[in-house]
Amino acid sequence: MVTQPPTAQPSDSVEDVDPNGSYEDVLYDVCVIGSGAGGALAAFRIGAAGKSVLLIDSGNWIPPQNLSTRHDLALAGLYKTGGVQPALPKIGAIFGNRAAGVNFLQAEVIGGGPYVNNAIQLPIDQAQFERAWKPRGFPFTWDELTSAMAQVARELKFPALSLDPSLTGDPRASVLPGARSSTLLAAAQKLWPGAAPNPVSLWDCVGCGGCNIGCRYNAKTGGPHGPRAAGSPQSYLMRALRETNGNVKLRGQLQALQFHVGEEGLADRLSVRDLATGQLGSVQAKCYVLAAGPIASSRILQETDIPQKPKGPSFGERVAANVTTPLLAIMPADFDSTPPNPGVQMCFYVEPETGLLLEGWFDYPAGVSAGTSGLPRDVAAAVGKYPGLNVLGVVVPIDDLATVHPPPVQIASEITDEDFGRLLRAMAYAACALYQSGALSVTPAHRLNTNMVGSMTIDPDDARNGRVDKIADDLLQRLEGPQNLALQTPHPQGGNAIASSPSQGVVAGNFKVFGTANVFAADSSLFPAGCGRNPQLTTLALAHLAASSILDCFQNNELGKLAC
């Protein structure tokens, strides 16, 4: 299916970027591993300060005009293993009826998450910061973190009133709602006055709705994009490649394997594999910045022998995530399909209860089919209702959800009874909003029956009367456990927590990995717990702080000083 309004034109080319330069036989000042949110910002800041930077990524270079308009092909090209990476259940979960197969979505393309995903820039929840981050030794204050987030908001020009009332944003950065999202937002605001449009790093959006499969129309301020008019925001990746006097070089399809760390804690090289040829090689730099994301960064550190690593948490522990699941609603009439429909993919958010988010969630037929169950004919019948279908996404932040292991186990997760109860309550709230919007029937994305509007339909009378507890209890009885829900997370966080002490984390307050002298981290694996929201803005803020720390180390000749 074509995933854009017919009047829109694909982005201009970004052919001036060479993603395939040579990388060996050069000593760089800095090698940054991962070109997503944290890596791109760190590369830009460090390159702009005059340092030579090699930015590597295991993903391929796909400029916007080459993004596929077919949902399945887009997923295959942009996500690791085509977007299918289910976590295995932890041992305790197998015996406790909690063996839920949470699917971990990981971008694998140059530009990473900011290029692929929906560009939502919600700040970390302050209550979550005080409850879960500070007790785990997070080394920065709330004011320091929010100051960094506000700096990012100013540079990307998106509205962020909760950070700074002056950050109203340019109108060209506003979300473009479609009929589906507008219907849901109006209903949500009747139930919860706090329902509001998402702050997003978009610019001149055309409303194609394909936010989670890249953007062919130059609207997303993340990853590769074509030329923009003077005064328009530029992604950190494009600024790194175009505004650093050639100091930042990019190399795609290069997989980082492990650091080689000596007895003094100094990494003298990084082993890599060229995914295009299969050849092994190495990168040499004065320091290294890990920004490959919670799973890949954890695995690289797990494969690295660090002789002076102090006792404390292991790499890849305490991975948090925002676990999501959709509710599907049949509406009384088909939605308007003319531009600017379908609009921004995730247009608004609301938090009906602390720690439970609902987000307007448009998806294309291929995505909807993944949330239905049954034989192919049943899925086809469900998708046949697509023109009158609306979807509301449930987003439940879960701390300590998973652990990253070396292959073949890879990721193991467990949803506790308490977490499952929170999921059910969020689903109940979503059902209330959908029925408030006029839905004829509402059904969770489950694995139990072969009819999307069959026995799992949520009682409309309960929803219209706000009986959240009753709906949640009823869902518990019928679903039995989280293993019968279609669950995924595009937002893994943590695994390599930053902390003031090695007893609480694996990365020091100056962003050096404990036990090393020149290996830093600058991605969402630094989170000591989940951030309670979409993590991109918090990741960018930490990368901003990390880049400052790295430059200070250069300035003060501290690259050889061990973090311990």
Side-chain angles (χ1 to χ4, degrees):
M1 174 174 177
V2 175
T3 61
Q4 74 278 345
T7 57
Q9 296 297 318
S11 164
D12 291 334
S13 166
V14 285
E15 292 177 353
D16 57 316
V17 175
D18 177 14
N20 298 307
S22 65
Y23 60 90
E24 294 190 278
D25 302 321
V26 176
L27 176 64
Y28 292 91
D29 289 323
V30 182
C31 173
V32 178
I33 301 134
S35 63
L41 187 150
F44 167 62
R45 294 272 195 266
I46 297 168
K51 304 300 179 184
S52 62
V53 178
L54 177 66
L55 176 60
I56 70 172
D57 198 292
S58 61
N60 202 357
W61 173 259
I62 306 177
Q65 70 272 17
N66 291 347
L67 290 167
S68 177
T69 58
R70 272 185 48 176
H71 200 206
D72 57 341
L73 295 180
L75 291 173
L78 297 174
Y79 287 92
K80 186 176 179 64
T81 59
V84 180
Q85 189 176 214
L88 296 174
K90 294 181 180 179
I91 296 297
I94 296 175
F95 298 105
N97 199 33
R98 299 187 303 276
V102 179
N103 186 44
F104 279 68
L105 288 165
Q106 283 182 274
E108 190 168 50
V109 64
I110 291 175
Y115 188 46
V116 172
N117 69 21
N118 46 67
I120 294 173
Q121 303 283 7
L122 287 168
I124 179 176
D125 177 59
Q126 186 173 4
Q128 171 72 352
F129 176 86
E130 299 294 343
R131 182 190 69 81
W133 285 42
K134 293 303 292 182
R136 292 185 174 184
F138 185 69
F140 298 97
T141 67
W142 175 251
D143 287 344
E144 288 172 323
L145 187 59
T146 54
S147 175
M149 289 190 288
Q151 175 67 26
V152 169
R154 282 188 287 272
E155 292 178 348
L156 298 183
K157 297 190 177 181
F158 61 82
L161 294 178
S162 61
L163 298 175
D164 181 345
S166 68
L167 294 174
T168 56
D170 189 288
R172 289 172 290 177
S174 301
V175 298
L176 189 65
R180 285 175 167 86
S181 293
S182 297
T183 299
L184 275 173
L185 177 57
Q189 287 176 332
K190 290 180 181 179
L191 297 173
W192 309 290
N198 274 317
V200 291
S201 50
L202 299 175
W203 196 256
D204 286 334
C205 174
V206 299
C208 77
C211 305
N212 275 348
I213 52 173
C215 180
R216 300 184 77 226
Y217 307 102
N218 217 26
K220 192 178 294 184
T221 310
H225 59 68
R228 288 181 171 181
S232 303
Q234 310 290 319
S235 75
Y236 288 115
L237 177 63
M238 298 316 298
R239 295 188 73 181
L241 298 174
R242 290 176 172 163
E243 299 180 17
T244 59
N245 294 317
N247 288 331
V248 177
K249 306 297 183 184
L250 175 65
R251 185 59 159 79
Q253 291 191 284
L254 202 63
Q255 180 187 21
L257 301 176
Q258 63 183 161
F259 298 106
H260 295 267
V261 180
E263 291 295 330
E264 302 301 318
L266 200 68
D268 63 4
R269 68 189 187 280
L270 169 71
S271 290
V272 296
R273 176 182 288 113
D274 187 325
L275 296 180
T277 65
Q279 290 185 323
L280 297 177
S282 62
V283 173
Q284 290 185 298
K286 296 176 184 176
C287 75
Y288 302 87
V289 182
L290 258 180
I295 298 171
S297 289
S298 295
R299 287 179 178 155
I300 294 166
L301 290 173
Q302 287 171 346
E303 293 297 319
T304 298
D305 180 26
I306 302 177
Q308 296 204 49
K309 183 184 183 303
K311 292 182 179 179
S314 299
F315 301 120
E317 289 185 352
R318 298 191 318 207
V319 174
N322 295 338
V323 176
T324 68
T325 190
L327 273 75
L328 306 110
I330 301 297
M331 304 301 290
D334 292 351
F335 287 100
D336 184 3
S337 61
T338 59
N341 288 295
V344 171
Q345 185 162 30
M346 294 183 180
C347 187
F348 78 93
Y349 78 102
V350 63
E351 190 173 23
E353 186 177 301
T354 301
L356 306 179
L357 291 178
L358 308 180
E359 289 183 341
W361 189 353
F362 168 80
D363 211 344
Y364 290 102
V368 170
S369 67
T372 61
S373 58
L375 298 172
R377 66 171 182 269
D378 302 307
V379 175
V383 176
K385 302 179 176 71
Y386 180 83
L389 186 73
N390 211 350
V391 182
L392 186 56
V394 167
V395 182
V396 178
I398 298 178
D399 290 335
D400 304 339
L401 170 72
T403 302
V404 178
H405 296 278
V409 175
Q410 303 194 36
I411 311 169
S413 67
E414 176 180 7
I415 292 181
T416 65
D417 292 339
E418 179 183 357
D419 294 332
F420 185 46
R422 294 170 60 232
L423 270 166
L424 296 177
R425 287 189 64 81
M427 291 165 64
Y429 283 120
C432 293
L434 286 163
Y435 278 118
Q436 176 71 35
S437 73
L440 301 176
S441 64
V442 176
T443 307
H446 60 90
R447 310 181 193 279
L448 284 174
N449 72 303
T450 61
N451 187 345
M452 189 176 68
V453 292
S455 61
M456 283 303 299
T457 299
I458 294 171
D459 187 283
D461 185 63
D462 288 342
R464 290 175 183 134
N465 287 281
R467 300 177 188 135
V468 172
D469 291 338
K470 186 176 184 302
I471 296 170
D473 289 343
D474 185 48
L475 286 170
L476 176 61
Q477 295 301 315
R478 289 191 282 174
L479 285 168
E480 298 179 351
Q483 72 277 5
N484 291 321
L485 279 174
L487 301 174
Q488 66 180 16
T489 177
H491 303 148
Q493 305 151 53
N496 304 307
I498 187 170
S500 300
S501 164
S503 66
Q504 293 180 295
V506 300
V507 177
N510 62 359
F511 294 90
K512 284 185 184 180
V513 175
F514 281 122
T516 75
N518 62 339
V519 178
F520 298 80
D523 60 14
S524 60
S525 75
L526 291 165
F527 292 15
C531 67
R533 302 282 176 81
N534 304 65
Q536 189 173 130
L537 179 56
T538 308
T539 303
L540 289 166
L542 288 179
H544 171 80
L545 295 170
S548 296
S549 180
I550 293 165
L551 290 172
D552 285 345
C553 284
F554 272 102
Q555 178 70 27
N556 300 323
N557 296 315
E558 292 183 345
L559 286 181
K561 185 176 180 181
L562 193 70
C564 56

